[in-house]
Amino acid sequence: MFRKIPLLLCGLLITVTVLAQKKNESYQLQIRKAVSPVKIDGVIDEAAWIQADVANSFYMVLPMDTSMARLRTDVRMTYDDKNLYLVVENYTTGKGPYMVESLRRDFAFLKNDNFLLFMDPFDDQTNGFSFGANAAGAQWDGLMYDGGKVDLSWDNKWVSVVKNYPDKWIFEAAIPFKTIRYKKGITKWGINFSRNDLKTTEKSAWAPVPRQFPTASLAYTGNLVWDAAPPEAGANVSLIPYLLGGIAKDYEKGNSEKYRRDAGLDAKIAVTSSLNLDLTVNPDFSQVDVDKQVTNLDRFELFYPEKRQFFLENGDQMSNFGYATIRPFFSRRIGLGGVPIRFGARLSGKLNKDWRLGIMNMQTGKQEETGLPAQNFTVAALQRRVFSRSNVGFIFINKESINYDPGKITDMPAYNKYNRNIGLEYNLASSNNFWTGKAMFLKSYTPGKSGHDVAHAANLQYTSKVWNVSWQHEYVGRNYNAEVGYVPRQGYVKIIPQVTRLFFPLSGQVLSHGPQVTSTWFFDEKDLHRTDNETMLNYGIVFRKRNTLNIWVSNTYIQLLQPFDPTNSHKDSLANGSRHNWNTVGVDYVSKPQSLFTYALSARYGGYYADGTRLMTNTELGYRFQPHVSVALSANYNQIDLPKPWGNTSFWLVGPRLDVTMTNTLFFTGFMQYNGQQKNMNLNTRFQWRYKPASDLFIVYTDNYLPEPFYVKNRALVLKLVYWFNI
């Protein structure tokens, strides 16, 4: 019965969908070929701009979505044989500087005065591209997926300029057709423009978007109507070689300095205007940001997000298959922990308006220190659009060990010759975005494991202006095995109902407020007895200045399924099967983003395992000397009181960070982390010079210390040069 619900809902919502699309169908911007050359300088004096149509009369999205925007925004677009051009006049009101974080690209949307373009060149209301800038000129670009999410890891060649005037700031950009993908011959693209202004706390959009959804929602775009089909991008091949030199020393092992001299190559080949082939040989990711450490008091493996661009770019079809804790594919399993990646290839993109394809193959080398063999990873994903914005997806994952000989591996957990997964999922997304959901089935194949080797899950969510109601259930068999995925727990059944109700005062400092109830239940798959349960009541308040306050209480019950050290300090472990129950109260506050000084405060106090207590406080402080310097400090403190042998345990996690953006092409980042739980201090600094579009010079220095007594563990210095050129 449950599996029929999404299909029935889709059918019921088709009428609503058509009406929603007809409403925004009237928002059309005509784009004509430029009658003169366009110079990207922030000055609107070319004949091409004077004759271009203007998109204005924006609608307010926040704080309310029932009126026109107070601030005027004028948008013009044109094109020539090579580029798509955009110029935007962002009018302002009142005195005072623009509010921006820095000149660093891919800024946080809510912390900057900015303008963003969202476009759907496939007209499928699901995938697309986003470009934009903040008022200081920092660029924003990303791939759009799932109908309204933006992957900011995507980085490509385009140019822009921001120029400030007393009453407005102008954003002008040229986006090469070779940079984006689009359906050949299509003359109508979905498009929307979004404006965020912190002084007035107004967020607006050209085509109206209900306030409960992001302005990136492709369900609510208007139309960009071309006077002729966009020109074909032609031969589109990019080569991105790198050269690297470095030195590293491991003081713990007493090794001498180790010098690095390396080179590698990435290539991007446009197979069609909407399908791309990416190749990589000997890739290196030394310039990627280090992981932000967290206090680990969890019984299961923690999740750290992927940050390597090769795996992130256009990778949502593979990496987002499944749920947050049931991911059959997690790219961080490939090439980390000292395992070198030799080469790889990925074919991804749109086959046509309805079909989307993603195929990736990666080959790693042998890990010399442990003897782990070379391995090959293959992932294939195929997606078919159904109804207006929903889709059905298939995935296949294969991990194969090369020259498999487990007898040569010592002091390591057993590894398998192969591990395979196949999966199907249905993603529901109504055209007006009120109904969303997913149904999924996975099966694994591992030598020596059969039976109870499947996982399935489903969820359904309804989102209106005042209600958010969702239901999710999961099942993971005890023998389900995803060695290239992220599935931290097996052998359970899980259900999660959630209800949120919002109220909107007509005046006053509060914009919205309301309660939320969430209850999470885990049951053992064998006899369905309860093993975990957490019920939380939260009351949230959003103020008109965009500061937020949440107050919550919760009740937690846990029956341990294996021995567990509640402090992760290796003192002792609680017994398997022991039962624990406690209550907790908490509060979270985030300050308004308009201030130069921003902060976020969190605190929780309550019971803990073995009739103990836990106090946790978390502080995030930030100050910006805009637009060039941003200073941040995060501090997390835990105090745990338990009976002997643990007693009183307390530890800090502190992370100061310095971001200096000298220009929008010259950046410096310094980041330190002190982790009292792991007794480690980490320092990471990175200098980046973007000397040409998408071409960079990186200088990266890392250091790890033992804080007590102060002792250097290891340190490394790397210089990396990347150059992007088109053939």
Side-chain angles (χ1 to χ4, degrees):
M1 182 67 180
F2 181 81
R3 293 185 65 185
K4 294 182 179 179
I5 290 175
L7 298 176
L8 290 173
L9 289 171
C10 285
L12 293 172
L13 286 169
I14 286 176
T15 303
V16 178
T17 293
V18 171
L19 292 174
Q21 286 304 101
K22 283 185 177 179
K23 179 180 179 180
N24 282 2
E25 191 74 23
S26 62
Y27 292 83
Q28 298 196 14
L29 175 61
Q30 305 289 329
I31 181 171
R32 291 183 287 273
K33 193 169 186 178
V35 297
S36 70
V38 176
K39 182 180 179 181
I40 306 303
D41 56 4
V43 179
I44 306 176
D45 58 358
E46 296 95 338
W49 289 135
I50 295 172
Q51 295 186 23
D53 286 9
V54 182
N56 48 28
S57 301
F58 277 44
Y59 279 80
M60 187 186 298
V61 178
L62 290 175
M64 300 300 290
D65 60 357
T66 55
S67 66
M68 303 297 293
R70 289 172 290 177
L71 294 179
R72 176 182 164 189
T73 307
D74 293 348
V75 183
R76 296 173 174 87
M77 297 187 73
T78 186
Y79 73 98
D80 59 21
D81 291 335
K82 293 184 178 180
N83 298 308
L84 175 66
Y85 297 100
L86 168 76
V87 69
V88 187
E89 296 176 273
N90 300 277
Y91 288 86
T92 60
T93 183
K95 297 181 179 180
Y98 300 112
M99 303 303 299
V100 296
E101 283 181 296
S102 68
L103 296 172
R104 184 173 294 279
R105 68 187 300 117
D106 298 333
F107 46 82
F109 172 80
L110 292 177
K111 295 182 179 180
N112 292 263
D113 290 339
N114 63 73
F115 173 90
L116 301 181
L117 157 71
F118 304 112
M119 59 183 178
D120 174 12
F122 309 106
D123 197 30
D124 64 359
Q125 304 172 55
T126 305
N127 303 102
F129 300 88
S130 179
F131 296 90
N134 69 13
Q139 290 184 333
W140 158 299
D141 55 3
L143 289 174
M144 301 191 67
Y145 65 98
D146 280 359
K149 299 176 182 177
V150 182
D151 176 9
L152 294 175
S153 66
W154 183 73
D155 195 5
N156 221 305
K157 296 182 72 170
W158 61 290
V159 295
S160 66
V161 167
V162 165
K163 190 167 184 177
N164 289 276
Y165 296 86
D167 62 336
K168 64 184 176 182
W169 58 277
I170 291 181
F171 165 52
E172 189 171 18
I175 304 168
F177 285 109
K178 289 186 176 183
T179 292
I180 57 178
R181 305 283 178 261
Y182 49 92
K183 183 181 178 183
K184 183 179 178 180
I186 191 171
T187 57
K188 186 172 72 172
W189 293 8
I191 200 163
N192 209 352
F193 312 112
S194 175
R195 170 94 182 270
N196 188 51
D197 185 84
L198 290 176
K199 280 191 291 185
T200 60
T201 68
E202 179 179 88
K203 183 171 76 169
S204 58
W206 171 58
V209 180
R211 55 170 295 143
Q212 69 267 31
F213 303 125
T215 48
S217 176
L218 296 180
Y220 288 93
T221 61
N223 295 308
L224 182 66
V225 182
W226 297 75
D227 60 346
E232 294 188 33
N236 188 355
V237 179
S238 299
L239 298 180
I240 314 166
Y242 79 84
L243 295 173
L244 181 147
I247 182 173
K249 184 172 183 178
D250 191 328
Y251 290 85
E252 284 189 308
K253 295 181 179 179
N255 297 338
S256 59
E257 292 85 356
K258 182 178 180 181
Y259 293 92
R260 291 187 62 190
R261 300 175 186 86
D262 221 338
L265 175 69
D266 287 350
K268 295 178 177 293
I269 304 168
V271 179
T272 70
S273 62
S274 58
L275 190 65
N276 201 66
L277 175 64
D278 291 275
L279 304 173
T280 186
V281 178
N282 196 32
D284 171 84
F285 307 103
S286 57
Q287 81 279 8
V288 173
D289 273 340
V290 296
D291 289 318
K292 185 176 180 180
Q293 297 183 37
V294 296
T295 299
N296 184 7
L297 295 172
D298 202 282
R299 294 177 292 152
F300 304 99
E301 178 190 13
L302 298 179
F303 180 85
Y304 289 95
E306 176 64 88
K307 297 183 178 182
R308 298 169 295 176
Q309 185 168 336
F310 182 86
F311 294 102
L312 287 169
E313 185 176 326
N314 211 24
D316 63 278
Q317 189 179 0
M318 302 174 187
S319 60
N320 291 339
F321 199 102
Y323 288 83
T325 56
I326 313 178
R327 297 285 187 205
F329 176 69
F330 179 39
S331 58
R332 283 192 68 136
R333 305 294 186 201
I334 304 174
L336 287 182
V339 179
I341 297 177
R342 298 305 186 199
F343 54 84
R346 181 183 62 239
L347 179 68
S348 60
K350 301 279 289 188
L351 298 176
N352 54 42
K353 184 176 181 179
D354 294 325
W355 288 94
R356 190 175 179 218
L357 175 70
I359 302 175
M360 183 172 70
N361 184 270
M362 305 294 294
Q363 178 67 48
T364 65
K366 181 178 179 180
Q367 189 176 20
E368 298 298 336
E369 291 185 2
T370 63
L372 186 69
Q375 293 178 324
N376 183 267
F377 300 83
T378 300
V379 187
L382 186 65
Q383 196 176 83
R384 173 65 160 87
R385 189 176 75 140
V386 294
F387 305 111
S388 57
R389 296 179 62 236
S390 303
N391 62 69
V392 177
F394 166 81
I395 196 167
F396 169 75
I397 304 148
N398 182 57
K399 171 188 173 185
E400 195 89 21
S401 295
I402 311 300
N403 298 323
Y404 174 76
D405 187 356
K408 293 184 179 181
I409 306 297
T410 60
D411 300 325
M412 279 190 61
Y415 70 98
N416 295 297
K417 178 175 175 56
Y418 67 84
N419 175 251
R420 297 174 185 135
N421 268 250
I422 60 170
L424 287 170
E425 72 175 14
Y426 168 71
N427 291 283
L428 166 70
S430 65
S431 284
N432 61 7
N433 228 35
F434 277 56
W435 291 95
T436 56
K438 175 183 287 191
M440 174 203 70
F441 176 84
L442 296 166
K443 179 174 174 57
S444 66
Y445 298 87
T446 307
K449 291 186 179 182
S450 62
H452 303 279
D453 54 1
V454 301
H456 58 78
N459 81 293
L460 183 65
Q461 178 171 300
Y462 171 76
T463 305
S464 71
K465 291 183 180 181
V466 297
W467 286 103
N468 186 302
V469 183
S470 66
W471 169 275
Q472 181 171 321
H473 73 260
E474 304 172 4
Y475 164 76
V476 178
R478 58 184 176 271
N479 287 327
Y480 175 72
N481 184 25
E483 293 182 12
V484 198
Y486 176 75
V487 186
R489 184 169 180 169
Q490 290 85 27
Y492 71 87
V493 176
K494 177 182 178 182
I495 60 172
I496 316 173
Q498 183 180 90
V499 179
T500 305
R501 175 66 162 93
L502 292 178
F503 302 91
F504 296 91
L506 297 178
S507 60
Q509 296 185 4
V510 175
L511 178 62
S512 66
H513 62 92
Q516 180 184 79
V517 179
T518 306
S519 191
T520 305
W521 299 75
F522 284 87
F523 304 90
D524 186 89
E525 69 156 335
K526 295 180 181 179
D527 54 12
L528 294 181
H529 79 272
R530 182 182 63 150
T531 61
D532 302 69
N533 171 226
E534 182 176 67
T535 299
M536 176 180 290
L537 172 62
N538 175 81
Y539 203 92
I541 303 173
V542 179
F543 297 91
R544 292 188 184 272
K545 293 292 185 179
R546 298 192 187 175
N547 45 325
T548 62
L549 173 66
N550 288 279
I551 302 171
W552 55 270
V553 296
S554 69
N555 174 263
T556 303
Y557 167 82
I558 292 177
Q559 178 184 356
L560 292 178
L561 303 178
Q562 57 188 10
F564 174 64
D565 177 0
T567 64
N568 271 342
S569 59
H570 309 293
K571 290 183 179 179
D572 200 356
S573 295
L574 297 168
N576 178 23
S578 59
R579 293 177 171 86
H580 309 270
N581 184 256
W582 66 82
N583 298 314
T584 308
V585 296
V587 60
D588 306 297
Y589 179 78
V590 179
S591 68
K592 59 184 181 181
Q594 301 93 319
S595 301
L596 295 178
F597 173 66
T598 58
Y599 57 94
L601 306 172
S602 298
R604 58 176 289 171
Y605 178 77
Y608 199 54
Y609 293 92
D611 296 323
T613 61
R614 178 189 175 195
L615 168 68
M616 186 279 290
T617 62
N618 191 74
T619 305
E620 303 276 348
L621 306 176
Y623 192 86
R624 53 193 180 195
F625 302 88
Q626 59 180 26
H628 298 294
V629 180
S630 175
V631 181
L633 173 68
S634 63
N636 178 274
Y637 174 73
N638 273 271
Q639 179 176 304
I640 300 173
D641 290 310
L642 291 168
K644 292 183 178 181
W646 298 279
N648 183 282
T649 303
S650 61
F651 39 81
W652 284 91
L653 177 62
V654 181
R657 182 184 180 100
L658 172 67
D659 278 291
V660 181
T661 55
M662 291 153 271
T663 69
N664 60 2
T665 60
L666 205 59
F667 315 110
F668 172 81
T669 300
F671 186 34
M672 189 189 80
Q673 296 181 102
Y674 165 72
N675 191 326
Q677 187 183 34
Q678 296 183 3
K679 295 181 173 56
N680 184 70
M681 184 181 295
N682 168 259
L683 174 66
N684 180 271
T685 63
R686 183 180 63 178
F687 172 83
Q688 178 185 359
W689 174 32
R690 175 146 288 190
Y691 58 93
K692 285 189 176 182
S695 300
D696 298 281
L697 171 68
F698 296 98
I699 302 175
V700 182
Y701 175 75
T702 59
D703 226 331
N704 279 283
Y705 298 89
L706 183 70
E708 296 178 7
F710 188 78
Y711 176 78
V712 179
K713 293 181 177 180
N714 53 72
R715 56 176 47 144
L717 176 67
V718 171
L719 187 147
K720 182 178 180 181
L721 182 67
V722 181
Y723 184 75
W724 181 312
F725 61 92
N726 295 325
I727 297 178

